[in-house]
Every structure is written in structure tokens, then in C-alpha cells.
Amino acid sequence: MMTDQNLYSLLASRFPENTGEIAFEGPDIATYSYQDLDDISSRIAYLLVEKGALPGDRVAVQVGKSVENVMLYLGCLRAGLVYLPLNTAYKAAEVEYFLTDASPALVICDPASLDEIREIAVKADVKEVLTLGGDGKGSLMDAAKDMPAGFRTVERAGDDLAAILYTSGTTGRSKGAMLSHDNLASNALTLYREWHFTKGDVLLHALPIFHVHGLFVALHCALLNASKVIFLTRFDPARVIEFLPQSSVFMGVPTFYVRLLAEEGFTQETCRNMRLFTAGSAPLLEETFKAFTARTGHVILERYGMTEAGMITSNPYEGTRKAGTVGFPLDNEARIADDEGNILKDGEVGILEIKGPNVFKGYWQMPEKTAAEFRADGFFITGDMTQKGEDGYYRIVGRAKDLIISGGYNVYPKEIESFIDEMPGVDESAVVGRPHPDFGEAVVAFVVPDGSNPSLGEDDVIAYIKERIANFKVPKQVYLVQELPRNTMGKVQKKILRDRALADA
Ligand code: MLC
Ligand code: AMP
């Protein structure tokens, strides 16, 4: 007989003995107990099953942040469904790709986008579209409220899929990273242990919950610890400052810390009950790290991860947390290799390769892409240029992949270029990143007009793109140029463009 490896069973086994204890509260939400979490996720699970979703089916979700959204995630786990969250910033063309690629049984969207999503869902052969607003209301909750509590969590094997999260790819086509119940459970237990979660911890949650950081890293740790979560529906520095005194753990992307430091009201006193601040999803600048300690007396714990593997390395909880480093490998093996896979010596810069229980099962329906990113001995090639120092600490020193990270969101230049190139009046384009004081990196585009529209302006390009893709991918600046610099092989020399954008900044 299979022993149940459903992640929900693990989480529920850690719920407090007194299930009346608070699970979620916050300024813009009702208060929910652990019992509510269990009951409402049960009602949702019953509903999803009634709507015809079978274990292994995908449920695509593009909704604003709410506790009901968390319960929908848990309901999917309980019913053995594969949760597929989508960034709320994605526009119709992007959503169409995800739905067509993943062919989910059900889609849950914001009530305001129902008509648009329904149209796409028809093409993607979706059974039904239900709604859930950021206020926790919609047809999903209306129908779920008549369902019973006590849903018997569907047994899952460790390798069965729990979630698919899309990550953009160098070719411009997003890939669905398949994450199993074991992948998520093993990483959650590792972080819970390594970051010393203890009874009484209160997590202040301000991240979006459609990516690994806010959904898995933050929520799984809190649920494993039966913690109270102070749930902010968006990151707002004033709100964070208001609720930090009642909290002990906070997780953020570097932009959160940059913005908090810009607030006068962010002080040592604000952080008086805090035990742990963690940062990741993008590099934390040494100056932010130092300014944070000078202001608060706390040392940020920087960790490194990615959608395909959850958290990979972490600075130590006890011991020195070093600025500009991401610490040591967690429960995965790690090695640094050159492009051909030859393992390099300590101190040499190469690409980080990893193997362990946290590493994903491959890209959804892309066996060739999956094979290309694993070595024959099972190590996954992260694409991050890394160095292991003499002190044993790992440093992410760059990226082999052509990736821009803006405010913790990934942007692949190829995707943006393909949208710009479709614009009437444009011949071709090249997109690069440039340092940005708030977002870490900003997207910048160099665009070559084809001459057919003499009045084409930089703002026209931005306006055109803004209608078509998620706002965080929209270039913060566009340069109209006569041609792109190319090497003798005809390849665009992005380094020259990056330098030009930097000089201009
Ligand atoms: C918003 N904007 C961005 C942006 N976020 N532009 C570039 N990059 C971003 N990240 C745009 C808005 O659309 C708006 O444009 C303008 O910038 C100003 O908006 P804002 O009000 O300042 O934005 P805000 O809502 O405050 O969002 C900023 C943010 C958000 C930092 C709070 O980006 C965020 O929550 N980032 C976290 C991302 C995250 O969770 N990543 C984890 C991935 S998991 P306009 O033109 O409309 O005015 C992962 C693995 C791992 O990477 O290791 O963790
Ligand atoms: P994602 O695909 O959204 O999961 O983004 C993962 C990528 O974010 C990694 O491959 C890294 O390039 C980057 N990343 C995450 N954490 C860090 C960090 N602490 N320092 C530098 N880069 C990071």
C-alpha cells in the first residue's frame, strides 16, 4: 500500500492541537483559524472534484492575493490536483500561452477578467472557469460554501505533481517547471529546520503568492510551524512598519528592503520583536545589507533559489551571514562546472549544478528542453555563474542565461524583443538590463525603426508594449537607434548596448 506523501497531509499533521488558533489575520482581511483553513480548503476540494477535475489535472489560477487563494492552493493539494499559479500582471496573450500549453481542467480568475479568460479557455479546452476576487469573493467561494468539511485528502506518491510554475526561457517561450509533493515537502522541512522556526513565531507576509518565494518558501514554513501569519495583500512599506512590531519573521525581495530603508519610521524599535529577516529572488546589494544592519541591528539572511529547485543555498542562521554571498548548499549537492560540464576547482567561476530532493521533475511536455538542462548523472544546470570562496561561501557572480531580474521578477529579453519586433514601424530590437536603484535592474530596449512611420517615438513603443505584456516587463526606457551593434558573426553585441545604457543612466 502506498504511504501518503501528499504535502497537505504533512502540513495538516503540524496544525496546532487547538485548531481554533489563528492562522491568518491582517488589516484588509477577516481572521481565519487553522480550523477554517481545514474546513474551507475541504469545501474547495469537494467543489473542484464535483466540477470534474481528476487527480493529476491542472488547475490554473490567476487571482489577487487573498487567504481564499491560499485555501484554493491547499484545496488543490488535497484533491490531488496540480496547482498552476499565474502572475496577475500577465495580459491575455501571455495567459493564452499558459492555458494552451498546460490544458488545465479548471481555471480560476478575477471576476473582472472573466469574459476575456472565458474566450481563451474555450480555445484551451478548459471545462469551466470560476472566479475569485482579491476580496475573497466570487463564484468559486459561492459554490464552495455549500460543500462539506472533512474532505479526505487524496493519497499521493512523493513523485506525483503538486504544482507547475512557469518560468520564462532564453528562447522567449515559458517552460512549466513540474514540482512534486516531495520536492515541496523536502524543501519546506529543510528551511523550517535551517531557519530555526519555533513555537510562537509570527510571519509577516507581504510577497505575492503566485511565485515560489511567497507561496512555498514563506507559507510552507509558517504552516509547518502552525504559526500565525499577518497577511498583507500587497507590499506597502507603511503597513510593514505598522505590523513588524507584532512579528518575528519577514521575507522579502531586495526591493522590499531598499524601500523600507527609505522610510524614516523604519527603526530598531520597529524591529524589536523580530528574529529573522531573509532576502532572495535577486541579488541583495552589499550597501543595502550594511545599511540594514546599521539601521536595525539585524543582519539579513540572504538565500538563493529558483523555481526549478526551491531554495538551493542559504547563509547560516547561526554563524556569519556574509554580504554578497548566498551561503552554503542546503539539502542538495552542489558543484561548479564549465559549459561542457567539467567540474572546476574551488575559487573558479563557473555554472552551478545541483542535485537533490528539491530539484524538479522536468519541464511540462518539453522532454528535450529538460534533457538539455540536466547532466547525464542527474545534476541540474542552474545557469547561474557561481564561485565558491576559500571560506566555503557561495557567491552568485552573474548569469550564463540572458536574464534580467527586476524587483524580483524575471524578464527574458528575447520575449520582449519578439513583442517589440511585431510593432508596425519597427525593424528589429535588442533588450538589455541596466542597474536600477529600486528594482535592482530595469528593462531597457534599443529599437531600430524600419522607416515606414517617420513619427514613431520612444513613448509609442512603450505604449504599444504596455498593452500587450505584463507591466513589470515593459521597458523603463526605449532608445531609437539606426542600427544594432553586431560582431563579425552578425550577433548583436549586447555588452555594448548595456554599457551605452549604463553611461546614459
Ligand atoms: C511593479 N512594476 C515593476 C515591478 N513591479 N517594474 C519593474 N519591475 C517590477 N518588479 C511597475 C508597475 O507596474 C508600475 O508601472 C511601476 O513599476 C510602479 O509600481 P509600484 O507601485 O512601485 O509597484 P509595486 O506594486 O509596489 O510592486 C513592486 C514590488 C513588486 C517590488 C512590490 O514588484 C513585487 O512584489 N515583487 C516581488 C516579486 C517576487 O515575489 N519574486 C519572487 C519570485 S520567486 P506603471 O507603468 O504601471 O506605473 C524566485 C525564486 C527565489 O525568484 O529565489 O525566490
Ligand atoms: P525564478 O526563475 O523566478 O525562480 O528566478 C531564479 C533566479 O533568480 C535564479 O536562477 C537566480 O538567477 C536569481 N536569484 C535568486 N536568488 C538570488 C540571490 N540571492 N542572489 C542572486 N540571484 C538570485
Side-chain angles (χ1 to χ4, degrees):
M1 209 183 85
M2 178 169 81
T3 51
D4 180 27
Q5 304 294 319
N6 192 311
L7 172 65
Y8 184 81
S9 307
L10 169 69
L11 298 175
S13 73
R14 306 290 199 99
F15 284 1
E17 218 164 285
N18 171 8
T19 51
E21 283 179 22
I22 294 175
F24 290 90
E25 68 175 23
D28 306 313
I29 60 163
T31 297
Y32 300 85
S33 67
Y34 272 90
Q35 190 62 53
D36 293 330
L37 215 58
D38 198 60
D39 290 348
I40 301 174
S41 64
S42 158
R43 297 185 211 289
I44 295 175
Y46 270 117
L47 179 70
L48 300 174
V49 172
E50 194 192 81
K51 294 289 178 193
L54 299 168
D57 279 352
R58 277 77 53 216
V59 177
V61 177
Q62 190 191 31
V63 304
K65 185 176 173 182
S66 67
V67 179
E68 287 73 11
N69 180 185
V70 176
M71 293 173 177
L72 170 58
Y73 164 55
L74 298 177
C76 285
L77 291 178
R78 295 185 77 166
L81 303 169
V82 181
Y83 187 70
L84 194 168
L86 295 170
N87 192 320
T88 46
Y90 293 145
K91 297 268 165 54
E94 293 160 302
V95 174
E96 177 161 348
Y97 170 76
F98 298 125
L99 298 194
T100 321
D101 190 58
S103 55
L106 302 171
V107 176
I108 323 294
C109 71
D110 191 275
S113 42
L114 181 60
D115 291 342
E116 192 176 65
I117 298 289
R118 256 207 195 120
E119 237 174 78
I120 301 170
V122 169
K123 291 187 226 166
D125 219 13
V126 171
K127 287 193 174 80
E128 192 163 338
V129 182
L130 295 158
T131 62
L132 178 63
D135 58 2
K137 298 193 169 74
S139 63
L140 175 84
M141 299 313 291
D142 287 345
K145 77 177 183 318
D146 298 326
M147 297 286 155
F151 183 90
R152 192 150 166 231
T153 296
V154 172
E155 284 195 6
R156 294 277 81 189
D159 273 350
D160 285 336
L161 297 191
I164 293 180
L165 269 72
Y166 275 83
T167 77
S168 14
T170 37
T171 56
R173 264 193 84 195
S174 286
K175 303 166 285 185
M178 301 189 286
L179 296 158
S180 69
H181 286 262
D182 258 4
N183 289 153
L184 300 182
S186 68
N187 209 233
L189 289 166
T190 298
L191 299 178
Y192 171 84
R193 184 189 71 226
E194 291 294 322
W195 293 348
H196 291 216
F197 272 84
T198 34
K199 196 167 159 44
D201 265 333
V202 175
L203 173 78
L204 180 57
H205 192 296
L207 287 157
I209 54 171
F210 38 67
H211 285 309
V212 164
H213 197 166
L215 181 63
F216 299 148
V217 181
L219 284 180
H220 289 167
C221 282
L223 294 177
L224 278 179
N225 195 47
S227 272
K228 176 165 91 179
V229 179
I230 300 179
F231 195 75
L232 303 180
T233 50
R234 58 181 293 272
F235 174 77
D236 170 0
R239 282 283 198 218
V240 172
I241 291 167
E242 184 184 344
F243 287 95
L244 271 177
Q246 305 167 37
S247 312
S248 64
V249 181
F250 181 77
M251 302 185 186
V253 295
T255 302
F256 284 14
Y257 293 109
V258 170
R259 291 188 182 183
L260 281 170
L261 285 167
E263 299 287 322
E264 257 178 46
F266 182 61
T267 62
Q268 194 150 6
E269 178 61 12
T270 321
C271 305
R272 61 185 178 272
N273 289 319
M274 286 297 294
R275 177 178 75 73
L276 177 65
F277 288 95
T278 70
S281 306
L284 180 72
L285 292 181
E286 212 161 321
E287 64 185 71
T288 312
F289 178 95
K290 287 189 176 144
F292 194 88
T293 301
R295 178 81 71 89
T296 66
H298 285 269
V299 183
I300 298 177
L301 181 155
E302 184 173 4
R303 90 311 179 271
Y304 151 82
M306 64 193 299
T307 301
E308 289 90 335
M311 298 302 99
I312 298 165
T313 71
S314 172
N315 266 281
Y317 184 80
E318 281 166 345
T320 310
R321 301 174 194 165
K322 287 195 185 176
T325 84
V326 292
F328 309 106
L330 290 160
D331 277 349
N332 39 219
E333 295 173 68
R335 67 189 187 196
I336 293 166
D338 66 14
D339 285 344
E340 277 77 50
N342 303 304
I343 296 165
L344 303 177
K345 292 202 207 66
D346 286 0
E348 291 182 320
V349 174
I351 297 167
L352 183 71
E353 299 185 355
I354 55 167
K355 186 177 180 180
N358 49 321
V359 177
F360 74 135
K361 301 288 156 202
Y363 296 112
W364 172 256
Q365 288 182 335
M366 287 186 178
E368 279 146 33
K369 275 227 155 65
T370 303
E373 296 196 25
F374 280 88
R375 296 285 174 207
D377 60 358
F379 274 74
F380 171 63
I381 307 162
T382 64
D384 287 307
M385 304 290 295
T386 309
Q387 184 183 37
K388 182 180 173 190
E390 276 175 17
D391 53 7
Y393 285 70
Y394 285 63
R395 289 167 174 78
I396 308 297
V397 298
R399 295 171 205 132
K401 47 197 177 190
D402 192 12
L403 163 70
I404 301 166
I405 304 185
S406 175
Y409 289 137
N410 292 5
V411 183
Y412 273 94
K414 186 94 189 96
E415 184 190 8
I416 317 307
E417 289 160 6
S418 63
F419 275 96
I420 299 177
D421 293 352
E422 279 173 17
M423 182 179 180
V426 168
D427 180 20
E428 60 171 348
S429 63
V431 165
V432 296
R434 120 169 132 204
H436 188 279
D438 182 32
F439 293 126
E441 270 184 293
V443 178
V444 173
F446 289 83
V447 177
V448 183
D450 65 8
S452 65
N453 175 6
S455 66
L456 182 79
E458 287 151 5
D459 291 347
D460 299 326
V461 178
I462 291 183
Y464 175 90
I465 294 300
K466 214 169 188 168
E467 269 184 29
R468 289 165 173 80
I469 54 175
N471 53 18
F472 65 87
K473 299 180 191 168
V474 176
K476 299 285 183 224
Q477 185 154 14
V478 167
Y479 297 96
L480 293 181
V481 293
Q482 291 203 314
E483 59 178 6
L484 299 174
R486 291 183 190 276
N487 65 16
T488 48
M489 308 289 289
K491 193 169 172 332
V492 176
Q493 291 172 297
K494 290 217 164 164
K495 165 112 180 46
I496 294 179
L497 295 176
R498 254 179 237 121
D499 291 345
R500 208 184 284 173
L502 185 61
D504 187 52

